[in-house]
Amino acid sequence: METTIITNVALVNPTLPPEVIEGGWLAFSGERIQALGPGTPPAERARQATTRVDGRGGILLLGLVNAHTHAAMSLFRGLADDLPLKEWLEQHIFPAEARVVTEEFVYWGSLLACAEMILSGTTTMADGYFHEDSALEAARRSGMRGVLAQGVVDFPAPGCPDPSFNVENAIVFLNRCWGEEPLRAGIFCHSAYTCSPETIQKAKEACRVHDALFFIHAAETEVELQETSSRYGFRPLEHLARLDILDEKTVLVHGVWLSDEEMDLVASSGAGLVICTESNMKLASGIAPLPELLGRGIRLGLGTDGPASNNDLDLFGEMDLTAKLHKVASMDPTAVDAPSVLHMATRGGARLLGFEDVGLLEPGFQADLILIGTRRPHMQPLYHPVSQLVYAARGADVESVWVAGRQLVRDGQLLSLDMQEVMARATELAKGI
Ligand SMILES: [Zn+2]
């Protein structure tokens, strides 16, 4: 079997607290990590390797996990900015989606996003959008790992003009796309303000039958809090709990406007929660109570949200801003530290998405690896690799990427996709928007 050995690297295992080997090596065989250690590898192991990579003093980390995005919306990047969520969605995004989102749009938009994510060190994504078959096809071609979730709303949507069939449409997707590791299928109900209680419950039931993940935006804005409270008499998370949809296979997204009782509800249900700091900042939705969520032991991941509300898919930037925002919001520099954010963006996100053998640098785990160069001024000197990754590194520092042992990036060049073709098609499609 093909065995790759990477030498001359700092190894960062994003446990809490993190484990760091300042100078070491790692070997993987097939799709799994085989061994790792400090210094130079034993002569016998080095001799057996079929591929040898000199890490040149870089940092070897697990691939990052973008636990919430809408990949195809990369084609809407920069289309409408500096607006509140409600106006941005209802006057710009929803109408544009109704006008131009086709299977072709989703395929090429998702490919553009996959290229951006892989090149900036993200190896796993959770996507939620329409025409999700096309997103899945793009993810497969790119080589990424992920959960692709068919979008559901209670109004005519791309690929589902009659909303009375929205959940059936998602079930067809689940049936067709089941069991294509490293890609998995799920359902994404947009929110409790675009989906009725019946729609949400039907979609969650379908996920239970298929043992699939269920995603939903929840408690994102103050307007959502007010509307849900007046329509149903309960706050957003109380409403979802009463629909009996909170469990370990439900992934909530945002969680900005949460009461203490709602945080307790999330914690006791085992549901996961994805924090999307930059999107919440850009749409001025608010600041998720991350220190309190961490304190309750809630399963947390980090997401960029769609490229139209961020406007990039660089998780290094997301980690940096997440840690810093909570320091200034609480006027406490210890509020959220670098190891916690790194854990959310790796092991935390992987577990949230059900990839139990992803996200740790340990023998037997999936070889989803990224090599980050440290030979540029902003990466020197290197006292604390974890701090450097969160507070100084950028997606552009990623030199090599492997997913399940397959190399997708070498020396900053994407191997799995024809970038010129992807860029040309994206540019062409943007002309029609
Ligand atoms: Zn979203």
Side-chain angles (χ1 to χ4, degrees):
M1 191 183 284
E2 288 279 310
T3 300
T4 297
I5 196 157
I6 305 168
T7 56
N8 189 18
V9 283
L11 299 164
V12 173
N13 196 14
T15 45
L16 289 172
E19 296 161 3
V20 177
I21 298 175
E22 302 270 346
W25 59 275
L26 178 143
F28 61 87
S29 187
E31 64 186 27
R32 292 184 188 276
I33 297 170
Q34 209 177 36
L36 57 115
T40 52
E44 179 64 11
R45 194 173 284 283
R47 196 181 56 75
Q48 285 171 351
T50 47
T51 304
R52 296 176 184 83
V53 177
D54 178 2
R56 294 175 291 192
I59 301 172
L60 192 65
L61 176 69
L62 276 310
L64 302 178
V65 178
N66 188 348
H68 179 69
T69 191
H70 315 286
M73 293 181 81
S74 61
L75 293 179
F76 290 143
R77 188 196 324 262
L79 181 68
D81 296 316
D82 307 328
L83 296 166
L85 176 75
K86 195 173 163 64
E87 186 182 340
W88 176 76
L89 268 181
E90 292 177 358
Q91 293 180 28
H92 298 272
I93 297 301
F94 288 158
E97 285 178 335
R99 213 171 54 242
V100 298
V101 174
T102 60
E103 288 174 306
E104 186 190 23
F105 178 102
V106 172
Y107 179 71
W108 291 103
S110 299
L111 269 185
L112 182 68
C114 288
E116 182 186 354
M117 284 191 270
I118 295 168
L119 283 167
S120 57
T122 293
T123 52
T124 298
M125 67 160 158
D127 186 60
Y129 207 56
F130 307 111
H131 289 303
E132 200 62 11
D133 299 68
S134 301
L136 190 129
E137 191 51 44
R140 182 190 294 122
R141 187 171 156 195
S142 77
M144 282 188 80
R145 183 185 302 281
V147 183
L148 289 298
Q150 173 63 44
V152 170
V153 287
D154 278 340
F155 51 80
C160 190
D162 181 352
S164 63
F165 290 103
N166 55 8
V167 178
E168 282 74 11
N169 183 52
I171 293 171
V172 169
F173 171 74
L174 281 186
N175 282 327
R176 198 165 45 229
C177 302
W178 197 242
E180 301 189 21
E181 293 286 327
L183 299 171
R184 298 178 186 175
I187 298 181
F188 161 59
C189 277
H190 177 270
S191 63
Y193 58 91
T194 52
C195 295
S196 69
E198 296 73 31
T199 297
I200 291 171
Q201 285 180 314
K202 252 172 75 179
K204 177 61 188 177
E205 184 53 32
C207 287
R208 285 194 171 117
V209 169
H210 285 79
D211 197 28
L213 284 178
F214 173 85
F215 298 82
I216 187 163
H217 291 139
E220 181 177 2
T221 64
E222 192 171 19
V223 173
E224 176 192 342
L225 169 62
Q226 288 162 351
E227 285 185 2
T228 311
S229 301
S230 67
R231 193 184 307 175
Y232 299 111
F234 297 98
R235 296 172 63 95
L237 259 294
E238 293 169 344
H239 172 61
L240 295 179
R242 290 172 64 86
L243 298 182
D244 191 28
I245 62 125
L246 299 183
D247 60 31
E248 290 178 357
K249 294 235 144 187
T250 288
V251 178
L252 306 161
V253 180
H254 294 302
V256 175
W257 292 85
L258 295 174
S259 65
D260 285 349
E261 291 73 23
E262 286 176 296
M263 285 189 259
D264 291 341
L265 270 177
V266 177
S268 62
S269 71
L273 175 59
V274 182
I275 303 299
C276 301
T277 306
E278 284 192 66
S279 173
N280 296 155
M281 289 172 73
K282 182 158 181 278
L283 294 162
S285 302
I287 300 173
L290 186 53
E292 289 86 346
L293 297 166
L294 285 166
R296 280 172 168 81
I298 289 171
R299 299 162 64 228
L300 296 169
L302 199 62
T304 57
D305 211 349
S309 64
N310 186 301
N311 290 352
D312 65 59
L313 298 168
D314 184 344
L315 271 177
F316 282 96
E318 197 74 36
M319 287 196 289
D320 183 27
L321 270 177
T322 299
K324 287 175 184 165
L325 177 65
H326 291 282
K327 296 175 192 301
V328 71
S330 60
M331 292 303 283
D332 175 4
T334 68
V336 173
D337 60 14
S340 299
V341 176
L342 185 66
H343 182 267
M344 286 169 65
T346 50
R347 178 62 170 159
R351 293 197 71 188
L352 207 71
L353 301 181
F355 294 110
E356 285 297 330
D357 60 351
V358 173
L360 289 178
L361 270 190
E362 289 176 13
F365 273 72
Q366 290 284 326
D368 290 10
L369 303 165
I370 59 176
L371 176 61
I372 298 130
T374 54
R375 293 168 300 150
R376 298 178 69 193
H378 68 279
M379 292 294 281
Q380 287 294 330
L382 181 57
Y383 298 115
H384 302 292
V386 173
S387 295
Q388 204 88 323
L389 289 170
V390 172
Y391 297 127
R394 307 164 188 154
D397 296 320
V398 173
E399 294 179 347
S400 294
V401 176
W402 294 263
V403 174
R406 176 186 170 202
Q407 189 159 18
L408 303 185
V409 177
R410 183 189 299 128
D411 297 329
Q413 299 301 310
L414 191 56
L415 306 176
S416 58
L417 297 172
D418 179 345
M419 277 302 296
Q420 281 193 337
E421 182 193 20
V422 175
M423 300 287 282
R425 294 303 294 268
T427 307
E428 196 57 38
L429 282 163
K431 286 180 189 160
I433 293 171

